[in-house]
């Protein structure tokens, strides 16, 4: 037998965790939904902070805590650090949920994910967090578990309807924005490695695309980390302001969702911004983003071909000829989980069973998103963007992102208007 230990990829672990939560609900383990709405001090103490409601929060905590621990074990990450860090993340997230539950706050359409992000950013930018604490954060895992659970609310007919249009939009956006971003990087004389990662991040799906591209070209981790920082930080204002811009322009939820899904780089930020607009916008934005995610494996394949055979690459850095196997290796597997769950709830689960578990699963879905954005805030530092040597990639990213926003808006209005 081989001495190498087998480790599941994060995407497959996400599918296992998401399906596990759904299976528990189907077998009768239905976690009660905590209440966070309040308008005054007495409602806060008697309703939100009542023993019954705190008990519901506690049961939710036990489920997500246990899920996170299982995820860490499957990914062979430090469970010891997670045991300390996760309760802190959960407590900060509950604080965000309580703040967002205020009637006055709700009148401004400010969702819990915005408060989660803000709380995390304040802590990370005013206090120095130890490296072991940051290493225990699993932002992508939390986002993807939430997205697998989102499949319980998206019927397959919606995927076929919006997915075909979303794929057309994704193809045009990915190709046009990728080449524009790469051209801008070339004009600014940014090195090719950084240019490839940055162009993929802007045009396809943010963090996942940057990671996939870095893997395809075996890129430098410092450059990858910088591109990821750009993605996460620029996603914040886009996530917050684009829904309000869409409302100001009078865009429908369908057009807004397609615009958000095609423009915002991180899948979690797309889900959060879609939530700000409405249920239909959330569905369309997620499906459009998934359409772009599907292209990730194909893009990584062609990027690896380009990198391998580029005349500017030294003979020593050339790799073996890539195969179509790379497409599957780079394909975001959590999309498989999302589609499977959508099929399950579209054609197998009866409406009666679904009615008994949908509120619990939807609450958990929102909680995973909020946990993810608390984590994003905790791992993001604004100072990293303004180092002198990093200004050119910052300029390139902002220019390309502006181009992306305009092109995607035109396509979204044309296809979904």
């Amino acid at each position: 037998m081989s001495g190498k230990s087998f480790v599941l990829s994060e995407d497959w672990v996400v599918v296992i965790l998401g399906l596990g939560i759904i299976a528990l609900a189907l077998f009768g383990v239905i976690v009660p939904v905590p209440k966070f709405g309040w308008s005054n001090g007495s409602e806060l103490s008697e309703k939100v902070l009542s023993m019954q409601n705190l008990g519901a929060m506690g049961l939710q905590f036990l489920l997500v805590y246990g899920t996170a621990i299982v995820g860490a074990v499957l990914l062979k990450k430090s469970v010891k650090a997670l045991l300390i860090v996760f309760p802190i993340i959960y407590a900060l997230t509950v604080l965000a949920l309580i703040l967002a539950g205020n009637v006055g706050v709700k009148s401004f359409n400010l969702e819990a994910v915005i408060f989660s992000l803000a709380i995390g950013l304040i802590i990370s930018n005013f206090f120095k967090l130890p490296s072991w604490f940051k290493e225990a954060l699993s932002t992508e895992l939390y986002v993807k578990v939430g997205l697998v659970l989102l499949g319980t609310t998206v019927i397959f007919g919606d995927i076929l309807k919006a997915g075909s249009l979303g794929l057309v939009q994704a193809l045009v956006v990915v190709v046009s924005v990728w080449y524009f971003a790469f051209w801008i990087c070339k004009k600014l004389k940014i090195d090719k490695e950084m240019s490839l990662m940055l162009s993929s991040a802007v045009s396809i799906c943010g963090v996942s695309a940057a990671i996939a591209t870095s893997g395809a070209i075996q890129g430098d981790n410092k450059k990858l980390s910088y591109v990821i920082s750009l993605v996460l930080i620029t996603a914040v204002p886009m996530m917050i302001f684009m829904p309000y811009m869409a409302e100001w322009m009078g865009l429908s939820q369908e057009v807004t969702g397609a615009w958000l899904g095609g423009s915002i780089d991180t899948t979690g930020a797309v889900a959060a911004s879609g939530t700000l607009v409405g249920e239909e916008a959330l569905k369309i934005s997620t499906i459009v983003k998934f359409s772009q995610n599907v292209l990730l494996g194909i893009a990584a394949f062609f990027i690896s071909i380009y990198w391998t055979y580029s005349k500017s690459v030294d003979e020593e850095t050339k790799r073996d000829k890539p195969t179509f196997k790379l497409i599957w290796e780079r394909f975001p597997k959590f999309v498989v989980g999302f589609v499977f769950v959508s099929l399950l709830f579209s054609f197998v689960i009866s409406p009666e069973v679904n009615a008994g578990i949908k509120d619990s699963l939807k609450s958990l879905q929102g909680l995973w998103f909020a946990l993810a954005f608390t984590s994003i805030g905790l791992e993001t530092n604004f100072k990293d963007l303004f180092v002198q040597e990093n200004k050119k990639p910052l300029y390139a990213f902002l220019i390309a992102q502006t181009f992306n926003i305009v092109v995607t808006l035109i396509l979204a209005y044309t296809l979904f208007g």
Side-chain angles (χ1 to χ4, degrees), residues 178-241:
W178 195 95
Y179 276 101
F180 179 81
F182 195 73
W183 176 76
I184 287 293
C185 289
K186 187 176 181 180
K187 289 295 182 182
L188 293 176
K189 298 180 180 179
I190 298 170
D191 69 87
K192 191 163 290 186
E193 189 178 320
M194 173 70 84
S195 299
L196 287 169
M197 287 189 280
L198 190 148
S199 301
S200 297
V202 172
S203 62
I204 307 174
C205 52
V207 172
S208 298
I211 292 172
T213 302
S214 179
I217 65 175
Q218 297 189 15
D220 179 82
N221 284 336
K222 288 184 178 179
K223 293 177 182 177
L224 174 62
S225 177
Y226 177 70
V227 172
I228 290 175
S229 296
L230 278 177
V231 169
L232 293 177
I233 293 176
T234 54
V236 174
M238 291 177 68
M239 177 191 77
I240 296 172
F241 294 115

Side-chain angles (χ1 to χ4, degrees), residues 125-402:
N125 284 273
F126 287 93
F127 302 95
K128 185 175 177 59
L129 297 174
S131 58
W132 63 266
F133 186 99
K134 288 191 174 184
E135 288 169 3
L137 300 173
S138 299
T139 302
E140 287 287 310
L141 184 137
Y142 303 155
V143 167
K144 291 172 183 177
V145 171
L147 289 170
V148 171
L149 295 181
L150 180 62
T152 62
T153 65
V154 180
I155 63 172
F156 196 64
D158 292 336
I159 297 177
L160 291 177
K161 180 182 176 182
S164 57
L165 296 176
L167 188 58
V168 172
Q169 176 178 308
L171 282 168
V172 177
V173 168
V174 168
V175 173
S176 59
V177 175
W178 195 95
Y179 276 101
F180 179 81
F182 195 73
W183 176 76
I184 287 293
C185 289
K186 187 176 181 180
K187 289 295 182 182
L188 293 176
K189 298 180 180 179
I190 298 170
D191 69 87
K192 191 163 290 186
E193 189 178 320
M194 173 70 84
S195 299
L196 287 169
M197 287 189 280
L198 190 148
S199 301
S200 297
V202 172
S203 62
I204 307 174
C205 52
V207 172
S208 298
I211 292 172
T213 302
S214 179
I217 65 175
Q218 297 189 15
D220 179 82
N221 284 336
K222 288 184 178 179
K223 293 177 182 177
L224 174 62
S225 177
Y226 177 70
V227 172
I228 290 175
S229 296
L230 278 177
V231 169
L232 293 177
I233 293 176
T234 54
V236 174
M238 291 177 68
M239 177 191 77
I240 296 172
F241 294 115
M242 285 184 67
Y244 297 105
M245 289 176 63
E247 184 179 3
W248 176 73
M249 290 186 288
L251 302 180
S252 67
Q253 285 209 24
E254 291 82 359
V255 173
T256 302
W259 187 32
L260 298 174
S263 300
I264 300 176
D265 292 321
T266 66
T267 309
V270 167
S273 59
T275 302
L276 293 177
V277 180
E279 192 71 27
E280 188 64 22
L282 173 61
K283 290 180 182 179
I284 298 295
S285 64
T286 302
I287 293 167
V288 168
K289 178 52 65 178
F290 279 175
S291 297
Q292 287 184 290
N293 285 343
V294 167
L295 298 176
L296 176 56
I298 299 172
F301 174 77
F302 284 109
I303 288 169
S304 65
I305 291 176
Y306 169 80
W307 186 256
T308 300
Y309 296 106
S310 174
K311 293 180 181 179
S312 63
V313 180
D314 292 339
E315 290 293 331
E316 292 181 357
T317 64
K318 288 187 178 180
R319 312 299 174 202
D320 293 334
K321 183 178 180 180
T323 66
F324 283 102
K325 180 183 177 183
L326 186 63
I327 294 179
W328 176 245
E329 290 176 350
R330 301 301 179 197
F331 186 86
K333 309 299 190 304
F334 72 93
V335 176
V336 176
F338 170 86
V339 174
F340 175 78
V341 169
S342 179
L343 286 169
L344 188 68
F345 277 75
S346 296
F347 304 113
V348 181
I349 305 300
S350 69
E352 294 77 19
V353 172
N354 188 17
I357 64 176
K358 65 178 182 180
D359 289 341
S360 177
L361 291 176
K362 186 174 181 180
S363 176
L364 287 168
Q365 168 207 314
L367 177 59
W368 283 111
F369 286 152
L371 289 166
F373 272 82
T374 302
S375 301
I376 288 175
L378 290 170
E379 65 188 6
T380 303
N381 195 311
F382 287 115
K383 292 185 292 186
D384 294 339
L385 284 184
F386 301 103
V387 179
Q388 180 64 35
E389 61 181 314
N390 286 334
K391 285 187 177 179
K392 282 188 176 181
L394 172 61
Y395 297 153
F397 191 92
L398 294 176
I399 293 170
Q401 192 61 276
T402 301

Side-chain angles (χ1 to χ4, degrees), residues 106-140:
K106 282 185 176 180
S107 67
F108 290 99
N109 271 342
L110 296 176
E111 296 288 333
V113 288
I114 294 177
F115 287 95
S116 297
L117 186 63
I119 290 169
L121 285 171
I122 290 169
I123 293 172
S124 66
N125 284 273
F126 287 93
F127 302 95
K128 185 175 177 59
L129 297 174
S131 58
W132 63 266
F133 186 99
K134 288 191 174 184
E135 288 169 3
L137 300 173
S138 299
T139 302
E140 287 287 310

